[in-house]
Amino acid sequence: MKNKSYIGTAFIILVFGIYFVPKIIDRIKNNDVVKGDRLNIEGTPTSTKSDLMTIGKAPIFSLINQDKVMISNESYKGKVYVVEFFFSTCPSICPIMNRNMKLVQEAFATNTNFGIASITIDPKNDTPEVLKKHAELISAKGINWNFLTGDRTKIFEIANKGFNLFVGQNTKIPGGFEHSGFFALIDKNGNIRCRKDEFGNPIIYYDGLEQKGVTAIKQDITKLLAE
């Protein structure tokens, strides 16, 4: 009886080998070994979430662009975008920010899922007409690059309270206004995102005046576009 049992077991193993082993070999060749298992359901896309930190929601805004079109944060829904605060007659850091923002824009010029919001802090002077000329002067191009103006009080609230990026009027300095030189990075869901510094702390915003900051934000835009 034992011999018959051994013979039966051997026959089952032989059949298993003839039928299933070639299939297993084919799956290995096709890198398909784990498809359909309980840990990775076949047809379910894997996550592309990046390692960037989420700081919080970007503030709501609604402003007029250089073409007199109303632009809001909803206009950028589903897009990765960068926000800066500037003014066209700025004699100090704005030209540097403009130049560096152009480098960012040029890196993603053909990507319709990327945009820029350059918000003036001197709306009395920076009308849509002035902003349009300014964009032409600095050769700012891009279908989603908006130069925005509106009520100064609201703009100051967006910057100081919404983004916590300082802007203010100061008649004692050239240009009459002061502001930070940082760029804010916003993801497709309207969240402020950033990388960590060498100590593991969030940098919050990117230095728009230094090449290091420009390189970092371009790298992180690429990550967010892939999410």
Side-chain angles (χ1 to χ4, degrees):
M1 293 294 293
K2 287 185 178 180
N3 289 338
K4 290 182 178 180
S5 175
Y6 291 149
I7 292 171
T9 302
F11 179 76
I12 292 171
I13 292 173
L14 178 62
V15 171
F16 176 87
I18 293 173
Y19 184 77
F20 289 104
V21 169
K23 293 180 177 295
I24 294 172
I25 292 173
D26 287 340
R27 291 185 71 183
I28 292 172
K29 288 181 179 179
N30 295 326
N31 292 319
D32 201 26
V33 176
V34 296
K35 277 190 178 180
D37 66 23
R38 63 187 179 91
L39 296 178
N40 186 16
I41 299 173
E42 189 169 1
T44 301
T46 56
S47 173
T48 57
K49 187 75 172 178
S50 73
D51 58 350
L52 299 181
M53 298 188 68
T54 299
I55 303 304
K57 281 289 184 182
I60 295 172
F61 64 86
S62 184
L63 301 165
I64 302 294
N65 76 356
Q66 68 270 32
D67 295 316
K68 299 182 180 180
V69 176
M70 184 68 72
I71 301 294
S72 72
N73 50 301
E74 285 296 307
S75 304
Y76 291 98
K77 189 174 183 179
K79 303 181 188 299
V80 176
Y81 67 104
V82 180
V83 174
E84 67 167 344
F85 294 91
F86 85 112
F87 60 108
S88 66
T89 57
C90 173
S92 55
I93 65 174
C94 293
I96 301 172
M97 295 173 69
N98 286 163
R99 183 176 68 245
N100 287 335
M101 190 64 85
K102 279 182 59 180
L103 295 176
V104 174
Q105 191 278 329
E106 287 168 359
F108 304 95
T110 61
N111 196 317
T112 56
N113 291 321
F114 173 72
I116 299 171
S118 296
I119 304 174
T120 180
I121 60 173
D122 183 16
K124 184 177 180 180
N125 175 74
D126 289 341
T127 61
E129 293 82 4
V130 170
L131 290 177
K132 191 173 185 68
K133 290 181 180 179
H134 179 74
E136 294 171 352
L137 180 65
I138 65 174
S139 298
K141 300 177 182 179
I143 56 175
N144 292 318
W145 190 348
N146 292 291
F147 290 82
L148 303 173
T149 188
D151 179 76
R152 195 182 76 174
T153 299
K154 291 182 179 179
I155 290 173
F156 275 35
E157 287 180 356
I158 293 168
N160 291 320
K161 296 181 180 180
F163 283 102
N164 200 26
L165 284 172
F166 174 73
V167 303
Q169 188 170 16
N170 187 345
T171 58
K172 296 181 180 179
I173 63 173
F177 293 89
E178 51 188 343
H179 61 96
S180 76
F182 290 110
F183 295 159
L185 178 58
I186 319 299
D187 69 15
K188 296 174 185 177
N189 298 312
N191 297 307
I192 301 171
R193 302 285 292 276
C194 73
R195 63 173 53 193
K196 298 177 182 178
D197 64 17
E198 62 269 30
F199 304 107
N201 301 312
I203 65 169
I204 311 296
Y205 299 118
Y206 296 77
D207 191 341
L209 301 175
E210 299 292 336
Q211 184 58 48
K212 182 179 179 181
V214 175
T215 299
I217 199 170
K218 287 197 293 184
Q219 292 172 345
D220 293 349
I221 289 168
T222 299
K223 290 181 179 181
L224 293 184
L225 286 170
E227 284 191 349

